[in-house]
Amino acid sequence: MSAGPDSTGFAGLPGGVAVSHLSVYDWPADDGVCGGTPHLHLTCSEAYVVTGGRGSVQTLTTSGYEVTPLAPGTVAWFTPGTIHRLVNEDELRITVLMQNSGLPEAGDAVLTLPPKYLTDPETYAAATVIPADAPEEKKERFARARRDLALEGYRVLREADGPEPLAAFQRAAAELVRPRLAEWRERWQRGAEAAAAATGEQLDRLERGDASHLADAVVRAEQPSAYGKFGMCGRLDVYRGA
């Protein structure tokens, strides 16, 4: 969702989060499991609020591999560095809450591709970017192909004997995103940092007995800016700025 300062100090969703609605892919992989593309985020936590269907999220961290069941009413979340793969068992639908004004859908994600695709940003982009002007059928084929390619690397990481393959992937992911860190920092400053600063200013005012900022209260509402985008985990309804 859009964010920016106004007379109340911050105009975005609470805390500088963003929201999207996700219908998880029902495409079967060669292991017989239907679902999305395994990946991690480097600076953002992410939360799933399950609104329909049934499934699970597979996660891989330095603590090991886990499976978290997902059903309507479940809220599950994870911190940066968690490799996650959504599994669709029965029309799984999720509202996704994303840290840092939607940065997870704006660059803070690295798919678990085999190492030869992680050598530099250009090689990685050639294997992952879906051409915006491609017809829907081609976008779907590309999204499915990159999902299957990421599953190749994911299985190697899951089956690894020891921590080094996961650590090597994390190092490669960090190197891939370095050219974009200044852009990410600006998004954080406009979003989460600005939201926290606004709260601090409001607390300072109240401590001085000044409640004048309450007179500047506003109400906002927004409809999705795009429907059915091909995301990493499924088809997305997204909002402006996410």
Side-chain angles (χ1 to χ4, degrees):
M1 304 280 285
S2 59
D6 65 3
S7 57
T8 64
F10 183 72
L13 281 171
V17 303
V19 173
S20 64
H21 303 299
L22 172 66
S23 296
V24 180
Y25 292 133
D26 59 3
W27 306 329
D30 60 12
D31 60 359
V33 175
C34 298
T37 309
H39 61 281
L40 60 68
H41 305 295
L42 292 98
T43 65
C44 297
S45 292
E46 193 169 70
Y48 296 153
V49 181
V50 182
T51 57
R54 184 171 54 88
S56 64
V57 57
Q58 300 176 353
T59 55
L60 181 64
T61 68
T62 54
S63 298
Y65 171 73
E66 295 184 49
V67 177
T68 301
L70 301 176
T74 300
V75 178
W77 64 95
F78 41 85
T79 58
T82 303
I83 294 174
H84 48 290
R85 177 197 187 188
L86 274 171
V87 173
N88 185 356
E89 298 172 6
D90 181 19
E91 298 185 351
L92 182 60
R93 298 186 305 280
I94 292 169
T95 294
V96 184
L97 307 179
M98 296 166 286
Q99 194 176 8
N100 296 319
S101 306
L103 184 55
E105 288 176 7
D108 182 14
V110 175
L111 311 187
T112 56
L113 303 186
K116 68 179 181 179
Y117 297 97
L118 306 174
T119 54
D120 59 82
E122 293 74 21
T123 301
Y124 178 80
T128 57
V129 174
I130 298 176
D133 58 352
E136 285 292 292
E137 302 81 18
K138 187 172 183 180
K139 288 180 179 179
E140 180 173 332
R141 289 197 301 271
F142 199 102
R144 189 163 182 166
R146 75 175 182 183
R147 189 279 307 266
D148 293 342
L149 185 62
L151 285 171
E152 291 182 25
Y154 174 67
R155 292 189 191 101
V156 171
L157 297 175
R158 268 190 58 181
E159 297 166 4
D161 183 15
E164 177 51 29
L166 178 57
F169 171 72
Q170 292 169 337
R171 290 193 297 269
E175 191 63 26
L176 277 176
V177 305
R178 282 183 65 192
R180 303 191 65 183
L181 293 182
E183 170 193 337
W184 294 7
R185 184 178 294 276
E186 287 183 11
R187 180 181 286 253
W188 165 69
Q189 289 171 334
R190 294 193 308 268
E193 186 184 43
T199 300
E201 172 62 22
Q202 290 159 4
L203 289 170
D204 290 343
R205 290 186 182 188
L206 292 172
E207 199 167 49
R208 297 192 300 266
D210 176 5
S212 59
H213 66 283
L214 301 180
D216 297 323
V218 295
V219 177
R220 294 182 173 88
E222 190 172 319
Q223 293 295 318
S225 60
Y227 294 86
K229 289 181 61 177
F230 286 97
M232 291 173 286
C233 298
R235 301 298 296 264
L236 291 166
D237 298 341
V238 301
Y239 293 81
R240 187 177 67 252

